[in-house]
Amino acid sequence: MDQVEHILPCRNKLGEGPLWSEEQEVLYWVDIENDCYCRFDPISDHSEIIQTGVAVGVLAERERGGLVLATKKGFAFWDETSKTLRYSAQPFGEDPRLRFNDGAVDCRGRFWAGSKVEDGQEHPDNGTLYRLDPDGSVHVMLTNIGVPNGIGWSPDNTIMYFADSPRQIITAYDFDAEHGTIAQPRPFVLTGEEEGGLGLAGLPDGLCVDSDGYVWSAFWDGGKVIRFAPDGTIERTIDMPVARPTACTFGGAGLNELYITSAAVDDALKQQYPLSGDLFRVRTDIKGQPKYKFAG
């Protein structure tokens, strides 16, 4: 059985988007509702919180150094030394209801990130998936999304997986790596009670794809991380000590340690699950895929 380690009592309100830096051998992730990102060195056990002054949905490393962020105000570059933010594109302008949520960088160095409406109301069709190219251009890739969440690619970069949480679906797309386009959407996993669904508790949130092409998905309000085989069947389930695991990624020297972020946005749930918002790790016999850097 996979052993879940509680490795950092970081008490994030909405921890998301874990990213392992192979070069630095540290883990990055964001705390969306506290306008910051976090960094953890598992060798020294040192962690730090870096305030950005804006809600960050997801981040990635840049080939030229520093980070690229998808924030409440748009795409931005972050200089880790000077701790300064420079916006590169604001695809939804200054609309205070909108912010970026989850995303990832593809094999050609393009940064994909989805936006969502955040005003306390239900907006089942107002999410948008964008692609930021290294030349600074922004492209709308998908519209009419509930809440855009985890994105990942198969090891051969021919399939892109994308989670729409309220619709309880992870969709698979044919991916054209050269042109950065997606086509032929089909359900990879229907997680809910609908016809053909798996009837799983919770909503599919952040995901990652391992080197064998299996998809790992964290289930918000489901209290688990599930590994799906390439045919969509459940290969294993990891029960978590929190109700709201949010995302997962592989890290460590051998890329065989699964790091899992979580949320503590609900006070009642935090009383029931006191480790909510903390960082967890599962040591596996499976190797993940390295994360690409943004080429711009």
Side-chain angles (χ1 to χ4, degrees):
M1 177 175 286
D2 297 295
Q3 181 68 39
V4 178
E5 301 176 73
H6 176 230
I7 60 170
L8 190 66
C10 46
R11 302 296 188 263
N12 294 150
K13 193 167 185 182
L14 185 51
E16 276 278 11
L19 172 79
W20 178 258
S21 169
E22 285 194 290
E23 184 177 319
Q24 301 178 54
E25 296 186 309
V26 299
L27 183 78
Y28 287 92
W29 71 100
V30 303
D31 186 350
I32 297 174
E33 297 205 8
N34 281 323
D35 297 356
C36 66
Y37 70 88
C38 311
R39 183 167 47 209
F40 173 65
D41 181 341
I43 297 176
S44 67
D45 207 33
H46 174 72
S47 64
E48 59 182 317
I49 297 171
I50 299 92
Q51 296 292 333
T52 60
V54 65
V56 181
V58 67
L59 56 74
E61 292 185 287
R62 297 179 69 192
E63 288 183 356
R64 63 183 63 182
L67 303 170
V68 58
L69 315 178
T71 79
K72 185 174 177 62
K73 295 182 179 180
F75 291 108
F77 299 128
W78 177 262
D79 187 304
E80 291 191 278
T81 302
S82 64
K83 293 183 168 50
T84 55
L85 191 68
R86 176 174 63 85
Y87 286 97
S88 64
Q90 296 175 286
F92 43 79
E94 295 287 342
D95 190 333
R97 302 173 307 149
L98 298 175
R99 71 161 172 83
F100 272 115
N101 197 44
D102 206 350
V105 175
D106 70 24
C107 62
R108 297 296 180 91
R110 297 169 289 233
F111 188 30
W112 299 63
S115 68
K116 58 169 286 189
V117 176
E118 190 173 58
D119 61 1
Q121 305 296 319
E122 291 294 327
H123 297 277
D125 301 309
N126 285 4
T128 302
L129 180 63
Y130 298 93
R131 192 192 77 211
L132 175 66
D133 285 3
D135 64 4
S137 60
V138 178
H139 307 268
V140 173
M141 305 307 296
L142 293 172
T143 58
N144 301 318
I145 303 164
V147 174
N149 251 310
I151 303 175
W153 287 268
S154 60
D156 63 1
N157 292 302
T158 62
I159 301 172
M160 187 183 90
Y161 299 98
F162 176 65
D164 188 339
S165 295
R167 290 187 176 145
Q168 296 180 281
I169 184 172
I170 300 173
T171 302
Y173 296 84
D174 290 344
F175 178 64
D176 183 327
E178 181 178 354
H179 299 99
T181 55
I182 50 177
Q184 300 297 323
R186 63 272 187 189
F188 171 64
V189 175
L190 296 169
T191 69
E193 299 286 351
E194 70 276 22
E195 183 178 354
L198 297 177
L200 300 172
L203 307 176
D205 201 329
L207 63 79
C208 66
V209 185
D210 65 32
S211 60
D212 294 324
Y214 286 61
V215 177
W216 300 69
S217 175
F219 274 73
W220 175 276
D221 279 338
K224 56 180 61 68
V225 174
I226 297 177
R227 185 188 192 222
F228 295 100
D231 63 1
T233 57
I234 295 175
E235 187 272 339
R236 74 180 66 185
T237 297
I238 300 173
D239 292 320
M240 298 293 298
V242 294
R244 290 176 169 174
T246 54
C248 53
T249 196
F250 280 92
L255 281 183
N256 61 347
E257 299 172 358
L258 188 73
Y259 287 91
I260 305 160
T261 52
S262 66
V265 292
D266 186 293
D267 289 338
L269 276 177
K270 192 171 181 179
Q271 289 182 357
Q272 185 177 358
Y273 299 96
L275 300 183
S276 294
D278 288 356
L279 181 67
F280 303 89
R281 179 174 60 199
V282 177
R283 300 179 190 270
T284 76
D285 56 357
I286 298 161
K287 186 174 182 178
Q289 299 187 79
K291 295 293 185 180
Y292 295 103
K293 295 182 179 182
F294 178 63

